[in-house]
Amino acid sequence: MTYLFKFYLQVSVAIMIATPVVIAQDKVVAPTAFVANCQACHLLNQAVVGPSLVEISEIYPKVKQAEFIQWCVDPGKKRDEMPQMPSMAHIAKEELAQIHQYILDVSVGVEKIKISGKDIYADAPLHTVRPRIDRLFVADSSPISLILALDTEKNHNIIWDADQCRLRYISAGKVSISSTRMGLANVGKINYLETALFKGNHKPQFKGYSLDENGMATFLYSLNSVQITETIELKGQEIVRTIKTDSTLPDYQLVSQKSSAIKVKSSSSQQTLTLTYQFL
Amino acid sequence: MNARTKISVVTISLLLTFFNYNVWAEFAWEHYYDFENVNTPENVDPQFGGLAMNAQGQLVACFHRGEVGIYDEDKDTWSIFATGLHEPLGIYVEEEGTILVIQRGELTRLHDKNNDGKADFYEVVSNDWGLSGNYHEFTFGLVKDSQKNIYISLGTASNGAGVREEIRGEWNTIGGLTQEMFLSGGKFGDWKEKKKAVPRMYARVPYRGCVLRIKPGSMKAEVYATGVRTPNGLYMDANDQLWIADNQGDWVGASKIHRIEEGGFHGHVASLLWAENPPNQVPADMPVEELEAMRIKAPILLPQGDCANSITQILPLTQAFAPISKTVTEQDKLIVGEMNHSRIVKYLPDVVNGQHQGAATHILNTTSLGTGNNRLLYSLDGKSLYLGKTHLSWPGRKGLKKVTYNGKPYLLVESVKLTPTGFEFSFNAPIKDQECLQSYAIESFEVLYHAGYGSPKHNRRQEAVESIQIDGNKLILELAQKPQANKVYDITLSDCITSDLSDISSTRYWYTAHAVYD
């Protein structure tokens, strides 16, 4: 009997140890609505998509619960580096009040953590190798622009507009953009600006581009019925742009802003226009 | 230890065992699925915009910063196939071996003409839509139908920002909204003030907010349907029915799965500017009653937060990946990814008086899954699901997860059908309800269709359960008040429902009742 009782006691203790116990603690429990709607963007003590709970508790102490609820229902936009918070109007105001109380409770005695905002992929090889093509929003060109980043000493970039099918400008400098890639890329200083080459009312249609083994591009497009290939080459201190048509070259006029950094000259035949951009 | 103490220890342990019976008996997804992290390419930001598989069984993926990579799982190696794309959000491997990618401004076909493993020709398949430069104008895709037509969907612009001076496509001024009203900075003024005069989401360049079809050999994009907001998930089923996942916001009270009808208007008003007969006023100013009469309702609404938040790609739920009865066709249920929570939404269709509707629930509701699930892809044998994650500027994660079903059957609900007096749940095995402390709960509410961002749960009401019957593999719920039309029923089943297979795997269901039985 004693043996059996001892055995049963050992098993019972083992069960007690192995069984997770949920008993009342003084731990703060997140309301269900917080878990469903807020937790993904708001961590306890570090900012991710939205400010941390600790920061929110500082902005909205107990006396500002009404303002907190109002913000949740109709969020403003105060931080450029953070996305727009969506409305929480689908949550009942009583639940928003509970969420506010939870935020205050869970933040007591907790310090904020500051994490580095460094973009670890900004300088990844695929985004720094030259030559390469990037497609980003850039200033002074259409939203469909290709950046041909050239392997030159000053990091020249050809900004080629795939909507107008033409070179828009040549800049010099590193290409950089925020990690979200939703704003304008920085392509350095504009060295040279060019207006549309071909006269007349042409309807450009971009057809694509091929890359050679060195990563340099040949653009394909049409101007009305004229099919064009445009090859970009780097030859020493010059960019050579060869525009070949499958029929007769349309009338053209080279109009560019005077530049102290780049000098351009042109030559043409019946089917080909060659533009040479010399770095000064 | 004296006898009294011994008895106390035994009693306490028995009590704890009893109270924690649920913990031991509780369903755990990890008993049926293995979760593993898959390596991603070195030095590539692992935010996935698209996942596909080539004929060799290799993963083909596109990434947020413009790369296309190919993964050989046997060798655990990635190679970079293409670079320089503009926010690619869909990828498709064609029979010929070429790869289609949808970027913000272009549908591109990638060729590797010299077979060196790198794309050398980036062909424009189509670029026949507008781009204003607004940050929110994403372009999603892509799927093909049995005739090889390609479908993509265009997101709308957000009044979180304006547009650029140079745009692609002609600006639509219907209602007197000129492009200048959407320009900001410098001489154009501060956007915080200007945004007050424009709708929350807008579609002023062609064909934002529309579903586009591109026929083989054509560069022209046709408007196939209108009325989507942020349609981040397309699926073409075996019957050439297009399904699209759309995200909560203005005019979209809850994220939803659309069953797209050709020529149809699906609810988000901005894209009406590009309909065959556009209105002569700002669409957001049209009477709601008129818009309500025009729109095709999405079969299923996914209440914000509770059910889903930021939904993504749609796939069928296959018999290789879940213990679905052989008699149930795979077209009968869809799954959709979600960014915000560690779970997948499952849609169980129903049709009432010709109206498509049905129920949503969760599967793989476990932290092992992780959040940020943007693109989903089955393995060749269908037993594994790859989940490519992203976050961009919203809640989410990075990386690639692989979830594999171990084949062990578990209890799941295969259909939820509306009845004249309640609901009928069909399970994949006979069930029993070991009554315990948890019980059934049902709440009904309305999701509003309006210009406001999202929707509160309108007219919330706790529904009394009249009776619960179990008959083999069916559970029949009768409500005290018969179901009403145009409501969502948030149903929590008892978590003591069990079977010889397992305990119940998902207890919460949201039934969208557009129509009811008399």
Side-chain angles (χ1 to χ4, degrees):
Chain A
M1 193 71 174
T2 306
Y3 168 75
L4 277 174
F5 193 81
K6 255 192 201 168
F7 174 75
Y8 188 70
L9 183 63
Q10 285 166 348
V11 169
S12 302
V13 170
I15 290 171
M16 196 162 66
I17 292 167
T19 304
V21 175
V22 179
I23 57 174
Q25 298 178 4
D26 57 359
K27 185 181 165 186
V28 182
V29 177
T32 307
F34 175 86
V35 174
N37 297 281
C38 320
Q39 191 169 263
C41 293
H42 299 283
L43 299 187
L44 175 59
N45 57 352
Q46 60 189 65
V48 282
V49 181
S52 68
L53 301 187
V54 171
E55 189 173 355
I56 293 170
S57 70
E58 291 169 358
I59 300 168
Y60 295 104
K62 182 74 177 176
V63 295
K64 289 195 171 179
Q65 186 167 88
E67 288 89 333
F68 169 84
I69 291 172
Q70 179 54 32
W71 178 273
C72 292
V73 169
D74 185 19
K77 183 84 163 65
K78 287 185 180 171
R79 303 173 196 235
D80 288 335
E81 75 280 13
M82 288 181 176
Q84 173 67 50
M85 172 173 162
S87 167
M88 294 292 132
H90 59 282
I91 304 175
K93 289 198 172 141
E94 307 76 57
E95 289 181 285
L96 289 172
Q98 287 171 1
I99 289 170
H100 182 236
Q101 189 57 52
Y102 165 71
I103 290 172
L104 295 176
D105 292 342
V106 81
S107 301
V108 171
V110 179
E111 281 190 33
K112 279 181 283 196
I113 295 174
K114 204 165 169 59
I115 54 171
S116 163
K118 187 170 161 45
D119 178 2
I120 61 172
Y121 298 104
D123 293 328
L126 289 175
H127 298 286
T128 51
V129 70
R130 287 174 176 260
R132 73 177 187 278
I133 283 189
D134 272 326
R135 296 183 76 156
L136 301 166
F137 291 138
V138 292
D140 302 307
S141 187
S142 84
I144 326 295
S145 292
L146 284 75
I147 304 165
L148 179 48
L150 301 174
D151 186 14
T152 66
E153 194 184 320
K154 291 187 179 175
N155 288 332
H156 289 92
N157 309 298
I158 291 176
I159 308 308
W160 204 89
D161 187 330
D163 186 40
Q164 297 185 22
C165 295
R166 66 179 184 90
L167 184 150
R168 296 295 299 265
Y169 58 90
I170 300 173
S171 69
K174 184 183 168 186
V175 176
S176 63
I177 191 166
S178 71
S179 62
T180 65
R181 295 160 84 83
M182 292 187 193
L184 295 178
N186 184 346
V187 294
K189 189 179 168 191
I190 296 179
N191 280 182
Y192 170 84
L193 273 168
E194 190 174 286
T195 60
L197 279 175
F198 296 106
K199 298 182 200 174
N201 197 13
H202 299 285
K203 189 170 176 297
Q205 173 60 59
F206 186 47
K207 302 278 184 74
Y209 59 94
S210 60
L211 294 174
D212 67 17
E213 62 276 7
N214 298 315
M216 293 297 285
T218 294
F219 299 116
L220 285 77
Y221 55 98
S222 61
L223 296 175
N224 295 338
S225 59
V226 178
Q227 306 300 318
I228 295 179
T229 60
E230 180 175 322
T231 302
I232 313 269
E233 297 169 281
L234 191 60
K235 292 182 177 177
Q237 292 298 302
E238 293 178 338
I239 297 168
V240 179
R241 195 171 152 218
T242 308
I243 300 173
K244 272 189 198 164
T245 66
D246 65 343
S247 57
T248 307
L249 192 71
D251 287 341
Y252 75 92
Q253 183 179 14
L254 178 60
V255 177
S256 55
Q257 204 176 59
K258 271 213 168 88
S259 166
S260 59
I262 288 177
K263 183 177 161 187
V264 60
K265 53 188 182 194
S266 65
S267 64
S268 63
S269 64
Q270 190 181 17
Q271 287 183 287
T272 305
L273 170 63
T274 303
L275 296 157
T276 306
Y277 304 81
Q278 184 184 27
F279 306 134
L280 300 175
Chain B
M1 195 187 287
N2 61 27
R4 185 175 290 179
T5 307
K6 288 175 189 175
I7 290 167
S8 300
V9 168
V10 169
T11 306
I12 289 168
S13 68
L14 286 172
L15 284 170
L16 289 172
T17 307
F18 172 73
F19 278 119
N20 287 282
Y21 172 79
N22 281 344
V23 175
W24 278 12
E26 213 167 81
F27 180 88
W29 293 99
E30 289 77 4
H31 293 163
Y32 305 94
Y33 293 88
D34 296 321
F35 299 81
E36 56 180 298
N37 292 320
V38 180
N39 284 330
T40 55
E42 204 177 337
N43 289 321
V44 170
D45 183 358
Q47 293 191 65
F48 285 75
L51 268 179
M53 193 164 281
N54 63 18
Q56 293 75 43
Q58 298 167 323
L59 288 184
V60 180
C62 58
F63 297 92
H64 161 54
R65 301 195 195 216
E67 305 92 342
V68 172
I70 298 178
Y71 181 60
D72 185 323
E73 196 164 357
D74 293 335
K75 296 176 186 168
D76 191 21
T77 54
W78 281 90
S79 60
I80 298 301
F81 182 71
T83 58
L85 302 172
H86 197 180
E87 196 68 74
L89 287 173
I91 197 160
Y92 186 103
V93 180
E94 299 185 292
E95 286 168 5
E96 301 84 350
T98 44
I99 295 173
L100 288 174
V101 183
I102 182 65
Q103 312 182 51
R104 275 192 190 262
E106 187 181 292
L107 176 62
T108 309
R109 178 176 282 126
L110 303 173
H111 300 255
D112 178 11
K113 295 191 172 187
N114 62 3
N115 281 317
D116 68 347
K118 292 203 183 312
D120 42 38
F121 180 40
Y122 292 57
E123 176 196 356
V124 175
V125 176
S126 179
N127 56 8
D128 187 21
W129 59 88
L131 218 61
S132 72
N134 181 270
Y135 74 100
H136 208 273
E137 283 180 351
F138 299 105
T139 305
F140 308 100
L142 57 126
V143 293
K144 287 192 187 185
D145 64 18
S146 62
Q147 306 305 307
K148 299 195 178 176
N149 298 307
I150 298 167
Y151 296 78
I152 62 173
S153 54
L154 305 192
T156 46
S158 163
N159 78 349
V163 303
R164 308 261 305 275
E165 282 184 79
E166 281 196 57
I167 59 175
R168 185 173 76 187
E170 198 172 321
W171 185 267
N172 190 318
T173 58
I174 285 178
L177 295 188
T178 62
Q179 187 185 354
E180 184 163 342
M181 294 169 70
F182 292 75
L183 297 173
S184 65
K187 63 181 179 181
F188 298 114
D190 184 50
W191 182 245
K192 280 184 186 149
E193 283 306 307
K194 294 189 88 169
K195 71 183 275 185
K196 295 173 185 173
V198 307
R200 179 74 176 81
M201 306 299 281
Y202 52 94
R204 290 279 157 174
V205 294
Y207 306 105
R208 308 309 313 187
C210 298
V211 182
L212 302 183
R213 176 174 63 190
I214 297 140
K215 292 184 173 168
S218 171
M219 292 187 84
K220 182 157 176 48
E222 307 168 329
V223 173
Y224 184 74
T226 58
V228 289
R229 180 181 171 274
T230 305
N232 184 24
L234 281 72
Y235 168 62
M236 184 70 72
D237 74 18
N239 300 317
D240 274 357
Q241 173 61 56
L242 179 63
W243 301 82
I244 290 186
D246 204 359
N247 281 279
Q248 185 233 29
D250 60 336
W251 301 100
V252 185
S255 295
K256 51 181 70 171
I257 300 175
H258 282 295
R259 189 175 178 276
I260 298 290
E261 288 185 24
E262 184 175 358
F265 164 62
H266 295 80
H268 191 266
V269 307
S271 56
L272 281 174
L273 298 179
W274 308 105
E276 212 168 313
N277 298 303
N280 57 5
Q281 63 184 122
V282 175
D285 295 338
M286 292 172 66
V288 177
E289 303 73 36
E290 191 179 332
L291 295 161
E292 179 73 57
M294 286 165 60
R295 73 180 178 122
I296 293 162
K297 293 181 181 178
I300 186 74
L301 301 175
L302 312 177
Q304 182 74 358
D306 296 337
C307 182
N309 187 343
S310 299
I311 56 172
T312 61
Q313 186 166 0
I314 302 168
L315 284 178
L317 180 62
T318 66
Q319 285 169 347
F321 192 67
I324 306 169
S325 306
K326 294 282 184 269
T327 52
V328 174
T329 66
E330 290 183 357
Q331 299 309 320
D332 282 352
K333 44 195 64 56
L334 301 177
I335 57 172
V336 63
E338 182 189 354
M339 299 280 291
N340 268 34
H341 294 88
S342 294
R343 61 196 181 192
I344 288 177
V345 177
K346 179 171 84 172
Y347 166 48
L348 301 166
D350 190 12
V351 180
V352 174
N353 298 333
Q355 171 66 50
H356 291 271
Q357 49 192 52
T361 185
H362 295 131
I363 62 168
L364 298 173
N365 191 358
T366 167
T367 53
S368 300
L369 186 73
T371 61
N373 300 307
N374 191 34
R375 292 293 179 257
L376 280 56
L377 177 74
Y378 282 113
S379 57
L380 282 177
D381 64 8
K383 293 178 184 173
S384 298
L385 185 68
Y386 298 94
L387 300 110
K389 293 160 183 286
T390 197
H391 57 83
L392 298 185
S393 289
W394 289 273
R397 285 297 181 270
K398 296 175 190 275
L400 183 62
K401 185 82 77 173
K402 182 179 179 185
V403 181
T404 303
Y405 178 42
N406 64 16
K408 200 170 150 208
Y410 58 87
L411 184 65
L412 57 72
V413 169
E414 295 190 315
S415 75
V416 181
K417 301 293 180 191
L418 188 75
T419 71
T421 53
F423 302 91
E424 182 184 278
F425 289 76
S426 295
F427 290 78
N428 62 339
I431 56 169
K432 48 197 171 196
D433 180 355
Q434 296 180 287
E435 290 173 48
C436 59
L437 299 175
Q438 293 278 351
S439 62
Y440 300 78
I442 302 177
E443 182 188 40
S444 68
F445 53 86
E446 292 155 30
V447 175
L448 302 177
Y449 174 65
H450 60 184
Y453 196 104
S455 167
K457 292 177 185 175
H458 191 63
N459 286 341
R460 291 174 82 166
R461 180 192 147 91
Q462 298 303 318
E463 299 283 344
V465 176
E466 181 78 14
S467 71
I468 299 164
Q469 277 179 273
I470 289 177
D471 179 12
N473 68 333
K474 291 201 192 303
L475 185 143
I476 298 141
L477 269 174
E478 285 202 354
L479 304 183
Q481 179 174 6
K482 56 185 264 181
Q484 307 288 302
N486 300 312
K487 285 193 183 285
V488 173
Y489 285 83
D490 179 351
I491 304 165
T492 301
L493 301 181
S494 165
D495 68 356
C496 289
I497 294 171
T498 190
S499 70
D500 290 342
L501 297 185
S502 77
D503 295 329
I504 189 170
S505 51
S506 301
T507 55
R508 199 162 175 195
Y509 298 79
W510 292 265
Y511 188 95
T512 299
H514 293 302
V516 296
Y517 294 108
D518 294 328

